[in-house]
Amino acid sequence: MSNTGANGTGGQGAGGNVTVDGAALWNDILETARFGGTPKGGIRRLTLTEEDRLVRDWFIAACQAVGCTVTYDSMGNQFARRPGTDDSLPPITMGSHLDTQPTGGKFDGIIGVLGGLAVLRALHATGHDTRHPIELINWTNEEGARFAPAMLSSGVFAGVFTEHEALDKTDRAGIRFEDALVGIGYRGTEPCGQHPVAAYFELHIEQGPILEAENKTIGVVTGVQGMRWYEVTLTGRDSHAGSTPMTMRADALLATARMIEAVNEVALAHGPDAVGTVGLIENRPNSRNVVPGEVFFTIDLRDPDDAVVERMEATFRDRAEAIATECGVQMILERVWDSPAVHFDPACIDAVRRTAGSFGYPARDIVSGAGHDAAYMARITPTTMIFVPCAGGLSHNEAESAESADVAAGANVLLRAVLDADARLDA
């Protein structure tokens, strides 16, 4: 995809000819894939597990090797700091996450952390000084796969959630977030959210098909679409599959099936950009000859326009209530996460756009369909993101793939955008 070699050389402006070592970056991707690696070539590295602890330990060692100090706060967010010539200035930050989905890939979130490490490595290798300190952040529990909602710790950092409510979250096994965090040894003493920042940049795979389809190397991300998560519990009546007449059942799974269809229909009716997903279902008692008496499932609704998301929710609630009545089940429908649409900082966006052009990378503006820690950071500091293509637009899948040249290109744009911010901010 990229028009450059693996090292992504070329381009001028802030930082002169400083570029990342693409080969070392690719080696880091392969190395960290060992922590939670799956037989199919993906990664299962749920947050605050032993696999997460191991990759965090690796992160500390790798950052210390390029002259950084590493600390972590009370939510386990890790900060690798490279001093500036004026260390009293707030740091310009980069970051993403190292946790994955249960069947995740080697690139989602990970290239944002390792691309940031490549930036620190390039600055260290060339002795390039910056006025601001430069920091790389590994955010805890971005995926929300174990502890809902997603982006939990960056949300605490940005004041969206309180630390108390975040630490009290439990996974599906009833384990508290705080207990899991203490268990892997990564609950720090610095209160989450008291760490200064001057700006934030996040490198990520697109997780969609647009860049690849248009043969673009860089996505200049202008914002993130609005999204809401819901949890639904339907309660019917357990009964014998053989002796309960069809007309006398209160089948919670049947109601669930109809609601899943309704989610799909609601999203299609609010197109072209709206999407709706049911991705988690728990059926009880889950026996082959028992009519299901209770089902728990999740819903994910998204659109770039918050008003559309609002209409989708209202439409689905009406449909769901009607289905529950028809099937004779009780429904509890709770909205557990609301992330409004985000518009990134124009100056940071322009820096990414100009930097991509200076390297000669084919680029286009794009809105993120997925949620990212940058969505919350944009509430408190100038923020933007950089996308690179992924094969077939596939993500949250063990087959997730990207080209090394594209990843290096994204890291080069990240490097120059950070240096642009260093020259521009507080000047």
Side-chain angles (χ1 to χ4, degrees), residues 260-301:
I260 293 171
E261 182 69 21
V263 169
N264 187 67
E265 292 172 350
V266 167
L268 288 171
H270 288 80
D273 299 317
V275 292
T277 306
V278 173
L280 186 158
I281 302 175
E282 294 177 351
N283 180 51
R284 304 182 184 97
N286 209 33
S287 174
R288 69 183 65 208
N289 63 341
V290 178
V291 176
E294 182 178 289
V295 177
F296 170 89
F297 65 98
T298 63
I299 301 171
D300 180 318
L301 300 179

Side-chain angles (χ1 to χ4, degrees), residues 60 113 118 165 201 207 213 220 241 309 329 332 366 380 401:
I60 291 175
V113 177
E165 68 178 315
F201 296 87
Q207 299 182 282
V220 181
V309 179
V329 301
I332 299 174
I366 194 168
I380 61 172
S401 181

Side-chain angles (χ1 to χ4, degrees), residues 323-368:
I323 292 168
T325 299
E326 292 168 6
C327 294
V329 301
Q330 301 297 313
M331 178 179 70
I332 299 174
L333 194 164
E334 180 182 7
R335 185 200 299 169
V336 296
W337 184 44
D338 182 4
S339 181
V342 176
H343 303 284
F344 287 145
D345 178 70
C348 290
I349 293 169
D350 185 60
V352 171
R353 190 182 289 120
R354 285 186 288 101
T355 296
S358 73
F359 277 104
Y361 298 142
R364 58 112 67 205
D365 288 4
I366 194 168
V367 174
S368 175

Side-chain angles (χ1 to χ4, degrees), residues 50-399:
E50 176 63 10
E51 292 80 13
D52 189 23
R53 182 190 69 78
L54 290 171
V55 79
R56 286 167 174 268
D57 292 349
W58 181 94
F59 174 82
I60 291 175
C63 292
Q64 289 175 339
V66 294
C68 295
T69 56
V70 183
T71 59
Y72 46 94
D73 67 15
S74 56
M75 287 295 294
N77 301 314
Q78 293 179 285
F79 302 86
R81 182 183 181 94
R82 184 177 192 267
T85 56
D86 185 352
D87 221 36
S88 67
L89 292 173
I92 296 169
T93 60
M94 313 168 285
S96 197
H97 60 96
L98 291 171
D99 67 317
T100 74
Q101 289 289 324
T103 52
K106 294 191 280 286
F107 300 90
D108 172 14
I110 296 154
I111 69 163
V113 177
L114 301 183
L117 175 59
V119 169
L120 296 175
R121 185 182 290 125
L123 297 176
H124 180 70
T126 59
H128 185 94
D129 290 328
T130 56
R131 291 186 310 118
H132 292 77
I134 307 298
E135 290 192 354
L136 171 60
I137 306 172
N138 170 36
W139 297 106
T140 302
N141 194 63
E142 191 276 348
E143 290 291 0
R146 183 178 179 193
F147 298 96
M151 299 130 61
L152 186 60
S153 295
S154 58
V156 173
F157 191 90
V160 178
F161 312 116
T162 68
E163 183 170 314
H164 173 75
E165 68 178 315
L167 292 174
D168 204 40
K169 296 290 185 183
T170 57
D171 64 13
R172 298 302 296 167
I175 299 172
R176 293 179 64 251
F177 185 104
E178 182 178 18
D179 295 336
L181 181 60
V182 171
I184 67 164
Y186 272 98
R187 184 158 192 217
T189 57
E190 179 184 74
C192 183
Q194 294 191 13
H195 202 89
V197 290
Y200 178 74
F201 296 87
E202 183 167 348
L203 171 64
H204 211 281
I205 56 171
E206 180 195 349
Q207 299 182 282
I210 296 173
L211 296 179
E212 183 182 57
E214 296 185 2
N215 200 30
K216 304 295 187 184
T217 302
I218 299 296
V220 181
V221 188
T222 59
V224 179
Q225 70 178 343
M227 57 197 76
R228 293 181 184 179
W229 282 6
Y230 309 84
E231 293 182 348
V232 184
T233 301
L234 300 182
T235 304
R237 182 176 63 253
D238 301 0
S239 58
H240 196 289
S243 56
T244 308
M246 298 298 290
T247 57
M248 299 178 66
R249 298 184 177 199
D251 188 335
L253 187 56
L254 174 63
T256 300
R258 292 181 179 175
M259 290 185 190
I260 293 171
E261 182 69 21
V263 169
N264 187 67
E265 292 172 350
V266 167
L268 288 171
H270 288 80
D273 299 317
V275 292
T277 306
V278 173
L280 186 158
I281 302 175
E282 294 177 351
N283 180 51
R284 304 182 184 97
N286 209 33
S287 174
R288 69 183 65 208
N289 63 341
V290 178
V291 176
E294 182 178 289
V295 177
F296 170 89
F297 65 98
T298 63
I299 301 171
D300 180 318
L301 300 179
R302 308 188 188 203
D303 191 89
D305 186 339
D306 289 331
V308 173
V309 179
E310 182 69 29
R311 291 196 296 272
M312 291 170 70
E313 176 181 326
T315 302
F316 176 76
R317 284 185 182 275
D318 288 344
R319 292 282 300 277
E321 288 170 2
I323 292 168
T325 299
E326 292 168 6
C327 294
V329 301
Q330 301 297 313
M331 178 179 70
I332 299 174
L333 194 164
E334 180 182 7
R335 185 200 299 169
V336 296
W337 184 44
D338 182 4
S339 181
V342 176
H343 303 284
F344 287 145
D345 178 70
C348 290
I349 293 169
D350 185 60
V352 171
R353 190 182 289 120
R354 285 186 288 101
T355 296
S358 73
F359 277 104
Y361 298 142
R364 58 112 67 205
D365 288 4
I366 194 168
V367 174
S368 175
H372 303 283
D373 295 302
Y376 285 150
M377 290 300 287
R379 300 188 181 202
I380 61 172
T381 194
T383 294
T384 197
M385 296 186 70
I386 302 155
F387 277 176
V388 295
C390 53
L394 187 65
S395 184
H396 287 190
N397 188 296
E398 290 164 291

